[in-house]
Amino acid sequence: MKPDIQCELIPRATTLHLIDALNAVRGKLSGALEQWELLDDTGRVPASPSYTALLQHVTGAQTLARDVVQLTADFARTTSRTNRAGSAVLAHLASAVTLSSQAVPHFAETAQTALSPPRPHSENDSYVRDNRMVVEHATARACLRRAAQALGHAVQELTDHLDFHRFFPTPSPHQSPAPPPKPGGRHR
């Protein structure tokens, strides 16, 4: 039974490398959440929000989504994706792909709304415009936050998987598995 269980293990080096890569992207997502603000210090939408800054949110979100997609695609090409832990990791990565990709159009909508001038018909029009921007920007940030959480769940799955490695020590480079026994009988 031991060989069957060992087949289920994602190689330790691969697991550690993937954890590092996921943590790096998760850190970028968290950093973006801290930096990409719409509201000013008073908690209001600025009178003239910076379209350029909001476009930076769009391009930054596209870059982050691309990084998540690339990590997921790389993992999906491995044979590790088929075992129990790999399938769970892939499910979390798929969620992160969806969520990070969904952030992009919400940031774009925020930028578009910022560029459109409020109609001078009433104060209510300006209020509706500002609320629309707040909702779109908050939705985009929530998508990034949830994508970071999905990556965190994948990291936790991999960390839990590492615990199984201690039951199956890998031979050192100087140790090699015992050669298979030779068939009995004499050779002539």
Side-chain angles (χ1 to χ4, degrees), residues 14-136:
T14 302
T15 304
L16 292 171
H17 175 72
L18 186 56
I19 288 172
D20 288 344
L22 291 173
N23 279 330
V25 173
R26 189 170 72 163
K28 290 178 187 178
L29 287 166
S30 297
L33 287 170
E34 290 178 22
Q35 293 176 352
W36 298 347
E37 294 287 335
L38 172 66
L39 305 178
D40 61 19
D41 294 337
T42 65
R44 296 176 185 259
V45 175
S48 57
S50 170
Y51 181 68
T52 305
L54 293 174
L55 277 181
Q56 285 300 108
H57 298 180
V58 176
T59 59
Q62 283 177 319
T63 300
L64 291 169
R66 185 195 68 230
D67 292 348
V68 173
V69 168
Q70 188 61 53
L71 272 173
T72 304
D74 290 346
F75 185 73
R77 282 191 282 276
T78 68
T79 57
S80 300
R81 77 186 184 293
T82 60
N83 64 32
R84 190 210 61 77
S87 295
V89 168
L90 193 56
H92 292 303
L93 292 177
S95 294
V97 165
T98 301
L99 291 162
S100 62
S101 298
Q102 287 174 347
V104 176
H106 290 289
F107 279 127
E109 186 68 30
T110 304
Q112 181 182 1
T113 303
L115 193 58
S116 64
R119 292 178 279 179
H121 296 289
S122 74
E123 268 184 46
N124 196 29
D125 288 340
S126 179
Y127 178 76
V128 168
R129 174 183 168 261
D130 288 354
N131 277 350
R132 183 174 170 197
M133 288 174 54
V134 168
V135 168
E136 289 295 335

Side-chain angles (χ1 to χ4, degrees), residues 145-166:
R145 180 182 42 77
R146 290 175 54 215
Q149 288 171 343
L151 292 179
H153 295 313
V155 167
Q156 185 60 52
E157 196 72 46
L158 290 167
T159 302
D160 293 346
H161 182 72
L162 280 176
D163 287 343
F164 291 112
H165 282 269
R166 64 189 163 109

